Amino acid sequence: MNRRTFIKIAGSAAALPSAAVAIGNSPMRAHCSTNAVRVVVDAALEESVALARKAILAGAHAVELRCDIAALWYTELASEPAMILGVLRPSDAFVLKRLVKGAGRSVIETISNERAVALTIVDARVHARAPR
C-alpha cells in the first residue's frame, strides 16, 4: 500500500464517527442508524482491517469475507437494508458491484488501485421509506 492510498482510506475511516453523529441527529435515524451499517472485512488486506476497526468503533457490524463474495452477498448482505462499507480486492469488488446493482442499490467507489477498492453501498429502499 502506498502512502496516498493509506491517507485516503484513513480519512474515509476517520469520517465514520462524524457520519454516525449526523445520522443520529437526522430524521432518517430510525431507518439508517449505525446498527444498519455493515462493513465487509477482507482480513488479507490491511486497508480493509483498518476501515473495519474504525467502523466497528462507530457502531457498525463487521462481516468477514471468508472466500466467496457472491455467497456472502446472498447469505448475509442482500436481505438486509443496510449501508455496506468495505475495502476489497478488485476482483471481489467487481463481482459485488454487479450483484448490488442488480438488486437496485447504489455503489460509490471512493478509492481504487491495483490492490484494493473502497466501496460504499446504499440501499435505495431505506431512503425511499425515510420520513420527509
Side-chain angles (χ1 to χ4, degrees), residues 21-74:
V21 169
I23 289 169
N25 293 330
S26 79
M28 290 184 59
R29 183 175 183 210
H31 298 285
C32 188
S33 67
T34 53
N35 292 333
V37 177
R38 303 288 180 262
V39 59
V40 178
V41 185
D42 184 340
L45 295 173
E46 60 190 74
E47 302 97 324
S48 184
V49 174
L51 175 65
R53 284 184 182 138
K54 293 282 188 176
I56 290 166
L57 289 174
H61 174 73
V63 180
E64 185 179 357
L65 174 60
R66 292 190 179 92
C67 61
D68 184 13
I69 192 70
L72 180 66
W73 171 255
Y74 287 114

Side-chain angles (χ1 to χ4, degrees), residues 38-115:
R38 303 288 180 262
V39 59
V40 178
V41 185
D42 184 340
L45 295 173
E46 60 190 74
E47 302 97 324
S48 184
V49 174
L51 175 65
R53 284 184 182 138
K54 293 282 188 176
I56 290 166
L57 289 174
H61 174 73
V63 180
E64 185 179 357
L65 174 60
R66 292 190 179 92
C67 61
D68 184 13
I69 192 70
L72 180 66
W73 171 255
Y74 287 114
T75 60
E76 296 191 43
L77 301 174
S79 62
E80 296 186 31
M83 177 185 287
I84 302 168
L85 306 172
V87 177
L88 305 172
R89 295 174 195 169
S91 58
D92 288 329
F94 176 84
V95 172
L96 185 58
K97 286 191 292 186
R98 296 320 177 265
L99 292 169
V100 163
K101 287 180 181 177
R105 298 187 190 193
S106 300
V107 179
I108 302 165
E109 186 175 313
T110 54
I111 301 167
S112 181
N113 63 32
E114 68 281 346
R115 182 173 146 66

Side-chain angles (χ1 to χ4, degrees), residues 2-16:
N2 65 33
R3 183 175 183 267
R4 184 179 191 161
T5 301
F6 177 79
I7 290 171
K8 286 182 179 180
I9 291 173
S12 297
L16 284 171

